[in-house]
Amino acid sequence: MAKKTSQDDGSWGKLIRDIVAILLLVLAIHSCVAKPFYIPSDSMMPALRNGDRLIVSKYPYGWSYASVSFHLAPKTAGRLFAKLPERGDIVVLEHPVTRIDYIKRVIGLPGDTIQLTNGELSINGKPVKREVQPMLSIPVDPNLPGPDSSLYRFVHRDTGGKATLELPIVRETLPGGASFDTIDMGPGYTTDDYGPVKVPAGHVFLMGDNRDGSADSRVATELKGLGGAVPFDSIAGRAEIISFSTDGTAIWYNPLSWFQALRSGRAGTDLRPERSSETQ
């Protein structure tokens, strides 16, 4: 009987070791290679929508305390195999105060001078190229517009009652040639005028693509913004691709609804900006 108990104890010990090994492997992959990320707001519209699920790679910029998933690592200075992002990259970072995950686009690098005048961006004294695009129509669903969104005033209904978002789009091209679409809701927003501010060494300046609805480097931390340029060490990874996207209609106990809630055409979307040889 004692022998059987010993065997049982050994089996339980092996099970616990296996579970710990699996958890450590998952943590290592999340921290060093890639992890999933959920978009909970409209601050990065039109590129990212509330309900998108992304793959975020952890290695393009090297590793720092922010690379460790679940915010387990103490905040320390330094980065292993550091490589600065490029302007236009979409990055995930730890908020400098709350350590909550944010996702924004890199606009300014160390040494850049950033200024906005009436919503128009300038980098190092040169206006960024802006091209007005046709209005973008997106069907409204339970996830879009997102909670507390600034975009509700752009909801329109046709004669049949179908609701769509009709969004004013401006395409920007940053120095270096990265091009992407932004939402410009017009004048009158506090973030339309900012700077000039020089990005300190070891920092990057981040903005959301929904320019008038993003708590980013232009917004004080007391207002949930980033409070200026953020330390490079706070960057956790680069957004690569949309894995899938849901419209908010899924019911957890109904597996069929999980598939019905999938938005068509979102899976596989590349999140790297278009890059041309154009410089400014």
Side-chain angles (χ1 to χ4, degrees):
M1 191 71 176
K3 183 178 180 181
K4 183 176 184 300
T5 301
S6 176
Q7 290 174 342
D8 289 344
D9 290 345
S11 297
W12 277 108
K14 182 179 184 301
L15 176 61
I16 292 171
R17 289 194 300 271
D18 288 346
I19 291 173
V20 170
I22 292 170
L23 291 176
L24 290 175
L25 178 61
V26 170
L27 178 61
I29 293 172
H30 266 236
S31 301
C32 299
V33 183
K35 76 167 188 175
F37 189 84
Y38 173 72
I39 301 298
S41 74
D42 297 333
S43 71
M44 281 297 294
M45 287 274 286
L48 297 174
R49 304 177 190 177
N50 183 38
D52 285 349
R53 270 74 168 180
L54 321 178
I55 299 298
V56 175
S57 59
K58 292 298 190 76
Y59 51 83
Y61 313 129
W63 293 272
S64 72
Y65 72 86
S67 304
V68 180
S69 295
F70 316 116
H71 310 300
L72 297 176
K75 295 175 70 171
T76 55
R79 198 170 192 100
L80 186 63
F81 302 117
K83 180 183 177 183
L84 276 173
E86 296 183 77
R87 296 189 193 92
D89 285 357
I90 299 176
V91 299
V92 171
L93 69 146
E94 283 193 11
H95 188 280
V97 176
T98 65
R99 300 196 70 174
I100 294 172
D101 284 336
Y102 274 42
I103 184 165
K104 302 296 176 187
R105 193 181 295 274
V106 177
I107 301 297
L109 299 177
D112 285 345
T113 297
I114 306 297
Q115 183 171 9
L116 284 99
T117 306
N118 296 325
E120 296 188 9
L121 173 64
S122 295
I123 300 178
N124 297 326
K126 297 181 179 180
V128 164
K129 181 179 178 181
R130 290 164 50 89
E131 300 170 284
V132 177
Q133 304 294 300
M135 297 288 284
L136 177 64
S137 297
I138 303 176
V140 169
D141 60 40
N143 269 346
L144 190 71
D148 304 318
S149 177
S150 58
L151 301 178
Y152 280 103
R153 70 185 181 93
F154 294 101
V155 174
H156 297 268
R157 294 185 181 275
D158 62 20
T159 54
K162 182 180 178 180
T164 59
L165 274 173
E166 301 289 337
L167 300 175
I169 302 299
V170 175
R171 189 164 184 79
E172 290 187 350
T173 302
L174 301 179
S179 296
F180 50 91
D181 289 339
T182 67
I183 297 173
D184 185 351
M185 293 192 279
Y189 291 86
T190 57
T191 50
D192 281 344
D193 294 283
Y194 181 87
V197 171
K198 186 173 183 178
V199 181
H203 288 64
V204 290
F205 193 92
L206 307 176
M207 293 172 61
D209 292 349
N210 180 5
R211 288 295 167 77
D212 301 313
S214 174
D216 51 38
S217 288
R218 299 167 293 167
V219 179
T221 55
E222 294 81 4
L223 300 176
K224 299 183 180 181
L226 298 174
V230 300
F232 176 36
D233 293 343
S234 69
I235 303 297
R238 182 177 68 196
E240 301 290 354
I241 194 170
I242 294 175
S243 53
F244 66 98
S245 182
T246 59
D247 63 12
T249 60
I251 303 172
W252 68 269
Y253 56 81
N254 180 1
L256 182 60
S257 73
W258 303 349
F259 298 97
Q260 294 171 337
L262 292 173
R263 292 177 175 140
S264 63
R266 298 295 290 167
T269 300
D270 186 357
L271 298 176
R272 304 294 302 279
E274 297 178 16
R275 295 189 186 274
S276 67
S277 58
E278 177 179 348
T279 59
Q280 297 184 17

